Amino acid sequence: MINFNLRGNKTLIMGILNVTPDSFSDGGKYFSVESAINHAKKLIADGADILDIGAESTRPASKTISAAEEISRLEKILPAIKNLGVPISVDTYKPEVAEFSLNHGADIINDVHGLEDSRMVAVAEKFNAPVIAMHSEKCSDGEIIADIKNFFRRTSAKFNGQIIFDPGIGFGKTQKENLEIMRRLDELKILDGQKISLLIGVSRKSFIGWATGFPLEERDEATGAACIWAISKGVDIVRVHNVKMISRMCLMADKLKEDIFS
């Protein structure tokens, strides 16, 4: 089992590797085995601490694929990528895909459905694997931070392993709610008096375009600014496409957090 110590000064950089034909930012670019492996190596060379592999797009209105199709995409690349020297996360909400992935080199499950399926909980417990649990529900009580905290509590109660929580920017939220979550990330860092591990995924997302007017292909600098803001609010992991740029920005942010007089 990988156990992440997320109490140090280093923000972990999660590099996105989409082996899909239809992901919102880079769909089709790394769909072949060769291009996926080469990009994985580049992400690591650029500073990725974790690789997050997605074999099914989760963009709005994307086509749902079967577990068998998702597994067929993963089985072509997991053997080659598992020995590259960094932990592998697989972005899936299907228990069958999670079990296959953990059996074939993956270390972490990144569940955009936030462990709502009890079978996913059982798989994670079987492998003693860390889970990234994302909030993807529409706000039910008119107070988005309270709603997300309630989700964190429910999820913690059903799974005893290591959980890294993702507030789910862009999933089931209005653009104003996305910005409110970003502004109040520090409130999500503490749950019932205890610090929790947080991941943020803002890379090139539509709320950046909504706030700035930048088109999809011109959002990396704004992504970096959002990541720096998130680090200042206590986020432990940032999930990004442009690893080289963002990792360098995060390195400086981490240095600024250090106590230089200690």
Side-chain angles (χ1 to χ4, degrees), residues 157-175:
K158 69 174 75 169
F159 180 60
N160 294 321
Q162 186 177 17
I163 305 177
I164 300 157
F165 284 110
D166 178 352
I169 297 294
F171 287 79
K173 284 107 178 155
T174 66
Q175 302 294 25

Side-chain angles (χ1 to χ4, degrees), residues 85-137:
V86 301
I88 295 173
S89 165
V90 170
D91 185 351
T92 187
Y93 57 89
K94 300 185 182 78
E96 308 94 316
V97 177
E99 181 152 17
F100 170 86
S101 300
L102 292 169
N103 262 323
H104 291 82
D107 305 286
I108 310 154
I109 294 303
N110 183 4
D111 183 1
V112 298
H113 287 185
L115 291 180
E116 70 177 18
D117 190 330
S118 61
R119 296 175 301 156
M120 185 68 91
V121 175
V123 169
E125 289 179 344
K126 174 182 175 181
F127 288 88
N128 201 22
V131 174
I132 299 163
M134 191 182 80
H135 177 273
S136 59
E137 306 162 347

Side-chain angles (χ1 to χ4, degrees), residues 180-246:
E180 181 176 359
I181 293 165
M182 292 297 296
R183 293 185 182 117
R184 299 173 64 186
L185 280 170
D186 53 326
E187 296 178 45
L188 294 175
K189 184 64 182 176
I190 305 295
L191 183 68
D192 301 328
Q194 299 293 318
K195 284 187 177 180
I196 62 172
S197 300
L198 281 181
L199 175 149
I200 200 78
V202 296
S203 190
R204 301 173 180 170
K205 285 190 173 177
S206 62
F207 87 99
I208 293 176
W210 180 78
T212 65
F214 299 152
L216 173 62
E217 64 275 10
E218 296 179 14
R219 294 177 188 166
D220 283 348
E221 297 93 341
T223 294
C227 288
I228 299 307
W229 173 270
I231 291 171
S232 75
K233 294 287 188 176
V235 164
D236 303 284
I237 306 174
V238 295
R239 180 180 181 274
V240 296
H241 296 88
N242 190 333
V243 167
K244 187 172 185 178
M245 175 189 289
I246 307 303

Side-chain angles (χ1 to χ4, degrees), residues 25-98:
S25 176
D26 54 6
K29 290 181 71 174
Y30 312 114
F31 195 45
S32 74
V33 174
E34 181 180 7
S35 63
I37 293 170
N38 287 339
H39 190 56
K41 291 177 179 177
K42 182 180 186 301
L43 291 171
I44 295 168
D46 286 346
D49 300 294
I50 310 166
L51 294 180
D52 189 47
I53 304 174
E56 178 182 6
S57 174
T58 55
R59 67 175 174 79
S62 60
K63 180 183 178 182
T64 301
I65 64 173
S66 68
E69 174 63 20
E70 198 171 340
I71 288 170
S72 74
R73 295 176 181 180
L74 290 167
E75 68 184 353
K76 298 171 185 175
I77 62 167
L78 276 176
I81 291 177
K82 70 178 182 178
N83 295 320
L84 293 181
V86 301
I88 295 173
S89 165
V90 170
D91 185 351
T92 187
Y93 57 89
K94 300 185 182 78
E96 308 94 316
V97 177

